[in-house]
Amino acid sequence: MERLRLIRQLRALDEAADDGERARRLNLLERVQRLPHAQADLADAWLRVIPHSVPARLRDAIVAQTAPEPGHAPSCAAVLAYAELHLIAHDPGFGFYWGAWTTTDKASLYAGMFNATTATAEALARGESPSLQVADDVAALVAKGRGVDDGPCFRAALGPELRWAVSHFRQYAVPLAVLTEQRSNVAQAHCSLLDALPGPAGPGTAQRAALVRLHRNLPMPLPEWPA
């Protein structure tokens, strides 16, 4: 398997369109030179950002879906995709969304989100849109976790906030789909679920200012604001 993976890596470099792309691919592939270590490293990146109050069984289920192994005979595309997952998961801002900083009961939030994401993935696999009822349940779950009233104003602000905060996971969905050979993976399903919440794509000026104040003491950078 190691020899085949090396061959795929060399072919991925050889197939680069230009020197700039070749340099980018080389930088990616340097991250996953030792496969057993690389797999543990990717899993650890997830375990670091999932709150410790989330039950171990649920943490393991999340890691199993988000940090898959590259397979026994990965294609050139899969080799590159696996390296891309490492790059995104180790970005300084990756843990921002997963920390659920504004929620007190993180275990309940994660359990509810996991179930909602699973239901959304099943709907997408059937060629259906995310359930509005599931999206409604998510909004109610977040409101309860934050200890705020679940009213129209809260819901109008929640969708833009979560869609902005989940930006790294949205990027993660692309290489994860390549690696797992699934049209709908857990990252795509989760982002589709958040897209079903009401409101514009990203927070407006006033909400941005409020979010900056709310998160100004976090030990990580804020995600880039949507264009």
Side-chain angles (χ1 to χ4, degrees):
M1 177 178 175
E2 285 296 318
R3 177 174 174 172
L4 179 58
R5 185 174 63 85
L6 178 59
I7 291 173
R8 299 299 193 204
Q9 287 180 333
L10 293 174
R11 185 172 297 173
L13 292 174
D14 186 57
E15 293 176 352
D18 52 44
D19 290 344
E21 175 61 15
R22 188 173 294 106
R24 187 188 76 86
R25 292 185 178 190
L26 181 60
N27 177 60
L28 282 173
L29 295 173
E30 285 177 344
R31 295 175 172 270
V32 289
Q33 286 301 304
R34 293 170 52 215
L35 194 56
H37 173 78
Q39 180 60 29
D41 185 52
L42 184 59
D44 286 344
W46 275 97
L47 291 173
R48 283 194 297 271
V49 301
I50 299 174
H52 294 301
S53 58
V54 175
R57 182 176 297 181
L58 180 53
R59 291 202 309 270
D60 291 343
I62 294 170
V63 171
Q65 292 186 4
T66 54
E69 296 183 9
H72 295 293
S75 65
C76 294
V79 167
L80 286 170
Y82 186 64
E84 291 272 12
L85 294 183
H86 279 260
L87 181 65
I88 298 170
H90 288 86
D91 186 279
F94 186 71
F96 177 83
Y97 177 74
W98 304 107
W101 309 103
T102 56
T103 300
T104 53
D105 187 357
K106 295 175 174 54
S108 295
L109 176 66
Y110 263 76
M113 280 289 197
F114 184 84
N115 292 335
T117 298
T118 299
T120 300
E122 293 171 352
L124 294 176
R126 296 191 299 267
E128 302 172 1
S129 299
S131 167
L132 294 180
Q133 180 59 57
V134 173
D136 185 72
D137 292 343
V138 164
L141 177 68
V142 175
K144 182 179 179 180
R146 295 184 182 183
V148 299
D149 292 333
D150 179 17
C153 291
F154 171 76
R155 295 204 170 197
L158 179 64
E161 176 190 338
L162 295 185
R163 285 189 284 273
W164 155 68
V166 81
S167 57
H168 284 91
F169 202 39
R170 197 179 296 276
Q171 297 170 19
Y172 199 88
V174 179
L176 186 61
V178 173
L179 187 65
T180 60
E181 299 182 342
Q182 294 180 6
R183 184 177 180 85
S184 174
N185 58 62
V186 63
Q188 290 169 320
H190 191 80
C191 293
S192 294
L193 172 61
L194 300 187
D195 288 343
L197 295 172
T205 303
Q207 190 181 4
R208 291 182 186 186
L211 291 170
V212 167
R213 290 194 300 272
L214 181 64
H215 298 295
R216 64 180 177 271
N217 294 322
L218 294 185
M220 61 190 64
L222 292 166
E224 299 232 351
W225 298 116

